[in-house]
Amino acid sequence: MMEAAVVSAAHGAMASLLAKLAALLTDKYKLAKEAKGQIMFLKAELESMHAFLEKMSDTEERDAQDKCWAKEVRELSYDIEDSINEFMLYVERRKSSSEPQRLRGFMERSMNLLTTINTRHKIAKEFEGLKDRVMEVSQRRLRYKVDDGVS
Protein backbone atom coordinates (compact mmCIF):
# COMPACT_ATOMS: atom_id res chain seq x y z
CA MET A 1 0.00 0.00 0.00
CA MET A 2 2.89 2.36 0.82
CA GLU A 3 4.40 1.68 -2.63
CA ALA A 4 1.16 2.77 -4.30
CA ALA A 5 1.36 6.06 -2.39
CA VAL A 6 4.93 6.60 -3.58
CA VAL A 7 3.92 5.95 -7.18
CA SER A 8 0.89 8.23 -6.78
CA ALA A 9 3.11 11.01 -5.43
CA ALA A 10 5.30 10.67 -8.51
CA HIS A 11 2.22 10.83 -10.73
CA GLY A 12 1.13 14.11 -9.16
CA ALA A 13 4.52 15.76 -9.52
CA MET A 14 4.93 14.44 -13.04
CA ALA A 15 1.55 15.71 -14.29
CA SER A 16 2.25 19.17 -12.91
CA LEU A 17 5.77 19.13 -14.34
CA LEU A 18 4.61 18.11 -17.82
CA ALA A 19 2.10 20.99 -17.82
CA LYS A 20 4.84 23.45 -16.85
CA LEU A 21 7.17 22.15 -19.57
CA ALA A 22 4.39 22.65 -22.12
CA ALA A 23 3.87 26.20 -20.82
CA LEU A 24 7.58 26.96 -21.25
CA LEU A 25 7.29 26.18 -24.95
CA THR A 26 4.81 29.03 -25.45
CA ASP A 27 5.92 32.43 -26.73
CA LYS A 28 5.36 33.97 -23.29
CA TYR A 29 8.80 32.82 -22.12
CA LYS A 30 10.79 33.81 -25.24
CA LEU A 31 13.33 31.02 -24.81
CA ALA A 32 16.29 30.52 -27.08
CA LYS A 33 15.91 27.83 -29.75
CA GLU A 34 18.46 25.63 -27.94
CA ALA A 35 16.54 25.81 -24.65
CA LYS A 36 13.26 25.00 -26.42
CA GLY A 37 14.86 21.92 -27.97
CA GLN A 38 16.05 20.76 -24.57
CA ILE A 39 12.61 21.33 -23.08
CA MET A 40 10.98 19.31 -25.87
CA PHE A 41 13.46 16.51 -25.16
CA LEU A 42 12.76 16.67 -21.41
CA LYS A 43 9.03 16.65 -22.02
CA ALA A 44 9.19 13.60 -24.30
CA GLU A 45 11.46 11.66 -21.91
CA LEU A 46 9.36 12.55 -18.87
CA GLU A 47 6.15 11.55 -20.68
CA SER A 48 7.70 8.11 -21.26
CA MET A 49 8.78 7.91 -17.63
CA HIS A 50 5.29 8.96 -16.53
CA ALA A 51 3.79 6.19 -18.67
CA PHE A 52 6.15 3.71 -17.00
CA LEU A 53 5.09 4.91 -13.56
CA GLU A 54 1.43 4.52 -14.51
CA LYS A 55 2.09 1.02 -15.81
CA MET A 56 4.01 0.22 -12.65
CA SER A 57 1.18 1.42 -10.42
CA ASP A 58 -1.12 -1.11 -12.12
CA THR A 59 1.32 -3.96 -11.45
CA GLU A 60 0.83 -6.01 -8.30
CA GLU A 61 4.44 -7.12 -7.94
CA ARG A 62 7.21 -4.62 -8.40
CA ASP A 63 10.83 -5.69 -8.32
CA ALA A 64 13.56 -3.80 -6.48
CA GLN A 65 14.94 -2.34 -9.73
CA ASP A 66 11.59 -0.85 -10.69
CA LYS A 67 11.13 0.62 -7.21
CA CYS A 68 14.60 2.14 -7.29
CA TRP A 69 14.05 3.61 -10.74
CA ALA A 70 10.63 5.01 -9.75
CA LYS A 71 12.28 6.72 -6.77
CA GLU A 72 14.95 8.23 -9.05
CA VAL A 73 12.33 9.47 -11.49
CA ARG A 74 10.30 10.99 -8.66
CA GLU A 75 13.33 12.83 -7.24
CA LEU A 76 14.37 13.97 -10.70
CA SER A 77 10.88 15.30 -11.42
CA TYR A 78 10.91 17.32 -8.18
CA ASP A 79 14.34 18.77 -9.01
CA ILE A 80 13.26 19.71 -12.53
CA GLU A 81 10.05 21.25 -11.22
CA ASP A 82 12.04 23.34 -8.72
CA SER A 83 14.26 24.67 -11.52
CA ILE A 84 11.28 25.46 -13.71
CA ASN A 85 9.45 27.20 -10.86
CA GLU A 86 12.53 29.37 -10.25
CA PHE A 87 12.72 30.29 -13.92
CA MET A 88 8.98 31.06 -14.18
CA LEU A 89 9.18 33.23 -11.08
CA TYR A 90 12.17 35.06 -12.53
CA VAL A 91 10.26 35.77 -15.76
CA GLU A 92 7.19 36.99 -13.86
CA ARG A 93 9.32 39.33 -11.71
CA ARG A 94 11.06 40.78 -14.75
CA LYS A 95 7.76 41.41 -16.51
CA SER A 96 6.18 43.12 -13.50
CA SER A 97 9.21 45.33 -12.81
CA SER A 98 9.94 46.49 -16.35
CA GLU A 99 9.14 50.01 -17.44
CA PRO A 100 8.13 51.00 -20.94
CA GLN A 101 11.19 50.85 -23.22
CA ARG A 102 11.03 54.51 -24.31
CA LEU A 103 11.54 55.74 -20.74
CA ARG A 104 14.86 53.98 -20.29
CA GLY A 105 18.18 55.38 -21.35
CA PHE A 106 20.52 53.74 -23.82
CA MET A 107 22.89 52.49 -21.08
CA GLU A 108 20.07 50.91 -19.09
CA ARG A 109 18.71 49.17 -22.20
CA SER A 110 22.22 47.94 -23.06
CA MET A 111 22.77 46.57 -19.56
CA ASN A 112 19.35 44.91 -19.67
CA LEU A 113 20.23 43.29 -23.01
CA LEU A 114 23.49 41.90 -21.58
CA THR A 115 21.65 40.63 -18.50
CA THR A 116 19.03 38.99 -20.71
CA ILE A 117 21.69 37.32 -22.87
CA ASN A 118 23.53 36.05 -19.79
CA THR A 119 20.27 34.86 -18.26
CA ARG A 120 19.26 33.04 -21.43
CA HIS A 121 22.66 31.36 -21.55
CA LYS A 122 22.34 30.36 -17.89
CA ILE A 123 18.84 28.99 -18.51
CA ALA A 124 20.02 27.01 -21.55
CA LYS A 125 22.86 25.55 -19.42
CA GLU A 126 20.40 24.67 -16.65
CA PHE A 127 18.12 22.83 -19.08
CA GLU A 128 21.14 21.10 -20.61
CA GLY A 129 22.11 19.84 -17.14
CA LEU A 130 18.55 18.62 -16.51
CA LYS A 131 18.56 16.87 -19.88
CA ASP A 132 21.82 15.14 -18.96
CA ARG A 133 20.30 13.93 -15.68
CA VAL A 134 17.22 12.58 -17.45
CA MET A 135 19.45 10.73 -19.92
CA GLU A 136 21.49 9.25 -17.06
CA VAL A 137 18.36 7.94 -15.35
CA SER A 138 17.06 6.46 -18.61
CA GLN A 139 20.38 4.87 -19.47
CA ARG A 140 20.78 3.44 -15.98
CA ARG A 141 17.44 1.69 -16.35
CA LEU A 142 18.51 0.22 -19.67
CA ARG A 143 21.91 -0.87 -18.35
CA TYR A 144 20.45 -2.80 -15.43
CA LYS A 145 17.24 -4.01 -17.01
CA VAL A 146 17.01 -7.75 -16.77
CA ASP A 147 15.23 -9.56 -19.57
CA ASP A 148 11.50 -9.60 -18.73
CA GLY A 149 11.31 -13.27 -19.66
CA VAL A 150 13.64 -14.31 -16.84
CA SER A 151 11.90 -15.17 -13.61
Side-chain angles (χ1 to χ4, degrees), residues 90-106:
Y90 171 80
V91 169
E92 293 304 318
R93 273 195 223 133
R94 285 196 49 87
K95 282 186 178 184
S96 66
S97 69
S98 64
E99 306 168 20
Q101 281 280 19
R102 67 182 189 283
L103 297 177
R104 288 194 229 168
F106 172 76

Side-chain angles (χ1 to χ4, degrees), residues 11-132:
H11 281 287
M14 194 66 81
S16 154
L17 176 57
L18 290 171
K20 287 177 183 177
L21 287 169
L24 285 178
L25 293 171
T26 64
D27 289 337
K28 175 182 178 180
Y29 292 97
K30 295 180 175 73
L31 291 172
K33 184 179 176 182
E34 178 186 357
K36 278 189 177 187
Q38 291 166 345
I39 290 169
M40 288 189 291
F41 174 86
L42 283 174
K43 189 172 178 292
E45 282 291 309
L46 291 170
E47 283 171 343
S48 294
M49 290 176 177
H50 184 64
F52 167 79
L53 291 173
E54 285 180 343
K55 184 178 173 183
M56 196 172 133
S57 69
D58 294 338
T59 305
E60 295 277 328
E61 294 180 30
R62 295 173 197 95
D63 65 21
Q65 257 184 329
D66 286 342
K67 290 177 197 175
C68 182
W69 195 73
K71 179 182 174 214
E72 270 190 284
V73 169
R74 185 180 74 244
E75 289 171 3
L76 180 63
S77 71
Y78 287 133
D79 290 348
I80 293 171
E81 189 169 34
D82 287 346
S83 292
I84 289 172
N85 286 342
E86 255 182 61
F87 170 67
M88 289 176 146
L89 185 62
Y90 171 80
V91 169
E92 293 304 318
R93 273 195 223 133
R94 285 196 49 87
K95 282 186 178 184
S96 66
S97 69
S98 64
E99 306 168 20
Q101 281 280 19
R102 67 182 189 283
L103 297 177
R104 288 194 229 168
F106 172 76
M107 288 300 289
E108 191 173 340
R109 284 195 307 270
S110 298
M111 290 304 291
N112 188 35
L113 180 63
L114 287 174
T115 302
T116 302
I117 289 169
N118 287 335
T119 301
R120 283 186 173 189
H121 180 70
K122 182 181 172 191
I123 290 163
K125 281 294 195 191
E126 177 86 16
F127 285 125
E128 186 178 325
L130 293 172
K131 177 183 172 183
D132 291 345

